[in-house]
Amino acid sequence: MKEIDLYTKAHLVVAAIRILERQADASSSIEKVCQMISFSLEHGNLICKKLDEMGIIEIVKGAYGTRLFIKNHLKIEEIPRGAGESKLEEELKKFKSSKKGL
C-alpha cells in the first residue's frame, strides 16, 4: 500500500468527521473516524493531534469520550504536499552514514 502524506490524511480525517456528523447528527469520536478511513487508533490519534495543533480540527475531551470538531478546514491547504521525510528517517540516515565510516 502506498504511503500517503499528511495533506491527504488531513482531507480524509476532515471528510470522515463531516460524514459521521451528517449520518449520526452528532459529533464524531476518534474511534469512529479511524474505523471509517481504516487507520489504526494509534495512527489516528497521532494525525488528529497534529491537526489539532495546526488549528484544523478541535479535540474535546468530555464525560462521553473524546469528540472531534472541524475548526478551520482551509488550513489544510497550508500543509505541504508530497511525502516528506520525518525527523526519525533523517536521523537514521545520519546514523547509518556515520556507521559506514567506521
Side-chain angles (χ1 to χ4, degrees):
M1 187 172 148
K2 182 183 170 188
E3 181 64 28
I4 54 176
D5 58 350
L6 182 60
Y7 175 82
T8 306
K9 290 176 185 178
H11 274 292
L12 287 172
V13 169
V14 170
I17 292 170
R18 285 188 174 148
I19 290 169
L20 290 168
E21 284 178 353
R22 174 78 174 131
Q23 287 177 343
D25 200 27
S27 60
S28 56
S29 65
I30 292 179
E31 293 84 8
K32 288 182 181 179
V33 169
C34 290
Q35 182 181 12
M36 177 174 267
I37 57 179
S38 299
F39 281 174
S40 67
L41 190 56
E42 294 82 12
H43 186 68
N45 275 316
L46 178 69
I47 298 299
C48 288
K49 284 181 184 179
K50 285 182 183 178
L51 297 179
D52 185 37
E53 290 171 0
M54 298 172 83
I56 296 170
I57 65 171
E58 185 175 6
I59 300 174
V60 177
K61 295 181 182 182
Y64 296 106
T66 304
R67 300 293 179 201
L68 303 174
F69 299 93
I70 299 170
K71 195 172 184 180
N72 186 357
H73 68 280
L74 297 176
K75 288 188 177 183
I76 294 174
E77 299 304 320
E78 297 173 6
I79 300 173
R81 294 184 187 190
E85 290 187 345
S86 68
K87 296 280 186 188
L88 179 63
E89 290 173 353
E90 290 175 15
E91 292 298 321
L92 281 173
K93 284 184 179 180
K94 287 180 188 176
F95 178 74
K96 286 180 182 178
S97 65
S98 68
K99 288 294 180 182
K100 283 183 183 177
L102 295 175

